[in-house]
Amino acid sequence: MSRRQFLLRATQAVAATGLPVWAHTATAAEEALTARSVTLGCSIALTGPLGQAGIEQVAGMKAAFAELNQAGGVNGREVRLEVKDDAYVAARTLQNVTEMLDAQSVFALISPLGTANTAAILPIIESKGIPTVGPVTGATSLRSQEARHVFFLRPTYREETQRLVKQVVDMGLKRIAVVYLDNPFGKEVLKDMSRALDEIKVERAGEYALAVDGKNGTELADKVAAERPGAVLLATTGTANTAFVQAFRPKAPGVPLAGLSVTVVSSELPKLAANTRGLALVQVFPDATSQKSVLVRKFQSSMKATGALPAYLTSGSALEGWLNAQIMIEGLKNAGKEPTRERLRAGLAGIRALSFGDFNIGFGNKAPYIGSDAIYLAIYADNGRRVS
């Protein structure tokens, strides 16, 4: 498919749906694998508290596949993407994936977003043998030896938490409060944070449940500030995290805030610009704004070449989607000219050293398959400016 054809199809889809061009692919049910194409399925939030993050994930994937298709595809096959919005609701993720598989319209899955969302589809993934690349979650609970068809890119939230707690301890901070999202993701990370804090016997200033829609953000900010914590660990994400931080920071301007790689999604950072001083965030990919990174330069070149919105060129979510697409592409290449789902699974498992200069991906010999253990720490000053 030419670039012109690709952009035309995307534009036609947006005219029908009203969604941004790079956010949605509208396709009728068709064969998942033909001599000329292979179709991948993606159930992801395009609306709801993580909607913008999902839109940017899709933008990264589409750019990678568009660039590939312009060069002839994989073994002569165009890679297509069927996207369904689940609004970060696990039941809708399961419904979407079930519908795609029942219609036999997708060959494999890519980038499910969320801990509960991924957990909801794991049984069907394994029972039907559907290769699945890049769940956007670091939940340790999802990574078992039974997950033979799931290929995670991210390290675990437990590893991220250990890095974060070490930073807090090294700073000599005491009376640590934990704010967690009131869903399976937040509760699992809360356990990881509690375990890490208990191991080093750090005094606590309470644990506070934040509603997924952030509606109790202001109320929670008052409660946490009243405890006068030395620091606050954030097991939160999306618009809910923004609601809490915006309410909390004016009440406690000097209290450090520390969160995971998913705590502040790219689209929410500008909203927090006035409240980012003293914010520390774990990162599991190179900074998507850094021109020093070989990976980022490749990613941005791909995004520009395929007409992605300029704002997405510095999006960490788009970068993750682009990387997930690169993994899938490599797996399809390894699966050969006559791919089956089992050959694709083996092709993905066989990835040992997929290198992007300063970022490498490789899977071990057995499940759980985890492509990267890279962990960085970003520190922010005023106006969303990253200082390290």
Side-chain angles (χ1 to χ4, degrees), residues 252-289:
V255 176
L257 298 170
L260 303 182
S261 58
V262 295
T263 294
V264 179
V265 296
S266 302
S267 58
E268 293 296 302
L269 190 58
K271 301 175 187 178
L272 292 173
N275 301 296
T276 53
R277 175 179 286 275
L279 175 65
L281 296 173
V282 175
Q283 303 288 316
V284 294
F285 307 113
D287 177 10
T289 68

Side-chain angles (χ1 to χ4, degrees), residues 58-293:
V58 173
M61 288 186 280
K62 283 198 169 188
F65 294 139
E67 187 173 52
L68 172 78
N69 292 338
Q70 290 167 19
V74 176
N75 295 319
R77 287 185 177 87
E78 174 185 284
V79 178
R80 299 177 178 176
L81 191 62
E82 181 176 343
V83 182
K84 289 181 178 289
D85 178 22
D86 58 35
Y88 191 50
V89 176
R92 287 183 61 179
T93 308
L94 178 58
Q95 178 183 348
N96 289 344
V97 169
T98 299
E99 288 175 354
M100 287 188 282
L101 294 178
D102 285 351
Q104 299 183 9
S105 63
V106 300
F107 186 66
L109 299 173
I110 188 168
S111 288
L113 193 164
T115 297
N117 309 71
T118 303
I121 60 176
L122 272 181
I124 197 170
I125 287 171
E126 293 303 327
S127 66
K128 292 183 177 292
I130 311 299
T132 301
V133 167
V136 186
T137 172
T140 307
S141 61
L142 302 178
R143 301 172 186 221
S144 69
Q145 294 182 354
E146 287 71 38
R148 294 183 61 254
H149 295 83
V150 184
F151 295 83
F152 297 93
L153 173 56
R154 293 169 158 269
T156 65
Y157 291 144
R158 184 170 297 169
E159 292 170 300
E160 291 189 39
T161 294
Q162 290 169 344
R163 176 69 179 86
L164 207 57
V165 170
K166 181 180 184 301
Q167 177 70 23
V168 169
V169 172
D170 288 348
M171 293 172 64
L173 299 171
K174 300 178 181 179
R175 282 189 52 75
I176 308 301
V178 179
V179 174
Y180 65 96
L181 206 62
D182 195 10
N183 69 356
F185 152 72
K187 291 173 182 177
E188 180 165 339
V189 176
L190 170 65
K191 290 180 181 178
D192 288 338
M193 289 182 171
S194 297
R195 183 184 297 110
L197 291 168
D198 287 344
E199 286 176 355
I200 53 179
K201 297 180 173 58
V202 174
E203 184 183 359
R204 311 277 275 282
E207 299 169 350
Y208 305 87
L210 176 65
V212 173
D213 60 4
K215 63 183 179 182
N216 66 335
T218 300
E219 174 189 350
L220 217 59
D222 289 335
K223 291 180 179 179
V224 177
E227 288 294 323
R228 302 176 63 84
V232 179
L233 297 182
L234 300 170
T236 52
T237 189
T239 56
N241 177 75
T242 301
F244 170 77
V245 174
Q246 284 180 325
F248 178 78
R249 179 48 83 210
K251 302 175 188 300
V255 176
L257 298 170
L260 303 182
S261 58
V262 295
T263 294
V264 179
V265 296
S266 302
S267 58
E268 293 296 302
L269 190 58
K271 301 175 187 178
L272 292 173
N275 301 296
T276 53
R277 175 179 286 275
L279 175 65
L281 296 173
V282 175
Q283 303 288 316
V284 294
F285 307 113
D287 177 10
T289 68
S290 174
Q291 287 300 305
K292 295 179 180 179
S293 168

